[in-house]
Amino acid sequence: MSFTITEATIVSGTLFACRHVFGYIFSNEKKVVDYVTVMAPLICISVILDSIQGVLAGVARGCGWQHIGVYVNLVAYYLCGIPVAASLAFLEKMRGKGLWIGVQVGAFVQCVLLSIITSCINWEQQAIKARKRLFDSEFPADNRLV
């Protein structure tokens, strides 16, 4: 997790520092460049949240709890993120920025829920289950590396 936070901070910091020239990658029009400059902070937050979410979702998958990830995604995006995105984009007339903020709300809720799940994991029990799977299973003779 610390490596992910460090990497996300470096990428986000670089992107934020270059936000005034980043838009020229997409277009030479001043209007497009200015819009990308306005959206850059949201992109930076997106990088950080997606990095953290990737690690936390990997922990849940590694524990064999894929079904929990499904429920977390449903709550985070369908119950929180999409309604906020639609409200901001269309009712508040924030357009693309509102959509992106809604997605970030969903990503934030997802990170919070996955953090709670990860903090409640009994790591001793998970290690015992992993050790059992490793040493109790029989490997077929044709599945050898040698």
Side-chain angles (χ1 to χ4, degrees):
M1 184 63 85
S2 61
F3 181 74
T4 296
I5 291 172
T6 303
E7 176 268 333
T9 303
I10 291 169
V11 171
S12 292
T14 303
L15 180 61
F16 188 75
C18 299
R19 70 187 179 278
H20 296 291
V21 295
F22 185 63
Y24 289 106
I25 294 172
F26 305 105
S27 175
N28 286 330
E29 288 186 36
K30 181 74 171 142
K31 191 173 181 178
V32 173
V33 173
D34 290 342
Y35 195 68
V36 171
T37 301
V38 168
M39 295 294 285
L42 293 174
I43 297 169
C44 294
I45 293 169
S46 178
V47 167
I48 293 168
L49 290 175
D50 285 342
S51 298
I52 293 170
Q53 178 274 337
V55 171
L56 294 172
V59 170
R61 278 193 306 272
C63 291
W65 297 340
Q66 292 85 350
H67 62 285
I68 291 176
V70 170
Y71 299 126
V72 167
N73 283 339
L74 284 172
V75 169
Y77 289 103
Y78 289 91
L79 297 181
C80 297
I82 292 175
V84 170
S87 298
L88 292 176
F90 302 114
L91 297 178
E92 297 298 320
K93 303 206 183 331
M94 292 177 71
R95 302 177 356 178
K97 190 174 183 179
L99 287 174
W100 204 294
I101 291 171
V103 169
Q104 295 315 306
V105 168
F108 179 76
V109 170
Q110 186 180 35
C111 286
V112 169
L113 293 175
L114 287 172
S115 294
I116 292 168
I117 291 166
T118 301
S119 67
C120 293
I121 292 174
N122 181 346
W123 291 106
E124 294 294 327
Q125 183 66 28
Q126 290 298 320
I128 291 168
K129 286 170 58 177
R131 195 173 300 118
K132 271 187 173 178
R133 281 193 304 263
L134 183 65
F135 293 117
D136 289 349
S137 63
E138 294 293 323
F139 296 105
D142 60 338
N143 232 6
R144 292 186 297 176
L145 293 175
V146 182

